[in-house]
Amino acid sequence: MKRDSRLSGVLHVLLHMAERAGPTTSDQLAKAMQTHPVVIRRILGGLRDAGFVHSEKGHGGGWTIARDLADITMADVYAAIGRPSLMAMGNRTEAPGCLVEQAVNAALDTSFHEAEALLIARFEQVTLAQLAADFHARMAARSSTPAQEHDHG
Amino acid sequence: MKRDSRLSGVLHVLLHMAERAGPTTSDQLAKAMQTHPVVIRRILGGLRDAGFVHSEKGHGGGWTIARDLADITMADVYAAIGRPSLMAMGNRTEAPGCLVEQAVNAALDTSFHEAEALLIARFEQVTLAQLAADFHARMAARSSTPAQEHDHG
DNA sequence: TTTCATGTAACTTCATATAGTGCGTGAAAT
DNA sequence: ATTTCACGCACTATATGAAGTTACATGAAA
């Protein structure tokens, strides 16, 4: 089953933005992410509507983070991209008339809802500031090659 | 993101088989599941290889459950279909050179692995016998229309 | 008024889950 | 023996959705 990488992508973009001083353009972020500028704009659209980032048009424009990194959790980002399903599995049919399927669905739903609740709870505990700190720790650990912080090779 | 319904499907098929006395053909199961016989054979292929069901060719052939329902857990069934990914989300890139992405991946992986472990643990606690019992309880509750146990409308 | 940058819609790939077809194999009934 | 039944499997077809791309409009600064 193919897995959604939007959450991973948004977090990645946000951390790259956080490493820069002024506004960052979609083009620059696309280069860093090895993708297309329009994809960046799509990814950040939800974040902008949720107030986590700000976008400016024209000369000197681009994207900036609108809040303190310590005030944005992974759960916030997850919500901003529309709370896509976390579970790769679903029921064959929802609201089935078949009682066998109802029994199966009930058993699966119970477990899946527990797992989703656990995930959301974990997401709420991790802020972008923590992720940035982890990144900087990795930077320090890779002391021999300190210029590769943006290496995507 | 589209969700895999194989686990739901296999459990459904197994419980339908359990309700019948002798062998059940792929055709009969396909009718009950409103799908194609080949789909049934594919679904049950992994279960056969794992020894949970038995298949017989020719006249009077079909599928039978090879073990006691109390000895088959949802985790067994999950394993038999190849342990497909349970999480709908993955990392943009695995083993990235980018330290930002490494930090993001690490944070996500931690949460996802926890959630997966929780799910597997729950699956291990539910046997097919329990699911069958739940089904029969639903049958009893729907006492006014007792002939609909195979209704898929 | 030219250049830069976002906002969006429409379109194209591309991956892949699911469904379906055709033919081969083996077992039982006649 | 031969017919019928049922699974096994390789292959094709279809549908869905994410990601990538193009095109153009909007708005701001040089």
Side-chain angles (χ1 to χ4, degrees), chain B residues 1 25-26 41 48 55 57-59 62-63:
Chain B
M1 168 81 35
T25 67
S26 306
R41 295 191 192 116
R48 178 193 56 229
S55 63
K57 290 182 178 177
H59 273 276
W63 300 89

Side-chain angles (χ1 to χ4, degrees), chain B:
Chain B
M1 168 81 35
K2 194 165 193 173
R3 290 150 97 189
D4 188 338
S5 62
R6 276 177 294 172
L7 182 57
S8 170
V10 185
L11 292 172
H12 192 171
V13 172
L14 288 172
L15 290 189
H16 271 290
M17 285 171 60
E19 293 301 310
R20 294 168 153 272
T24 316
T25 67
S26 306
D27 255 306
Q28 294 170 321
L29 289 171
K31 287 275 196 323
M33 302 277 294
Q34 294 187 141
T35 182
H36 201 278
V38 173
V39 175
I40 299 293
R41 295 191 192 116
R42 264 204 290 264
I43 282 180
L44 290 179
L47 276 286
R48 178 193 56 229
D49 298 341
F52 294 113
V53 300
H54 175 72
S55 63
E56 197 76 37
K57 290 182 178 177
H59 273 276
W63 300 89
T64 45
I65 296 187
R67 294 203 199 165
D68 192 301
L69 290 187
D71 294 335
I72 307 177
T73 68
M74 297 208 318
D76 292 327
V77 177
Y78 171 66
I81 63 175
R83 298 184 209 272
S85 169
L86 293 166
M87 299 294 123
M89 297 192 172
N91 296 324
R92 242 173 44 94
T93 56
E94 302 298 333
C98 172
L99 293 176
V100 171
E101 186 130 23
Q102 281 183 24
V104 170
N105 284 0
L108 289 175
D109 286 349
T110 300
S111 302
F112 286 141
H113 287 153
E114 272 187 60
E116 284 192 338
L118 175 68
L119 270 178
I120 302 291
R122 288 287 173 275
F123 287 173
E124 285 170 349
Q125 289 167 357
V126 182
T127 67
L128 292 193
Q130 287 174 262
L131 291 182
D134 183 19
F135 158 61
H136 287 123
R138 288 167 194 270
M139 277 275 285
R142 191 194 269 187
S143 51
S144 56
T145 55
Q148 301 190 356
E149 71 269 23
H150 287 177
D151 176 20
H152 288 76

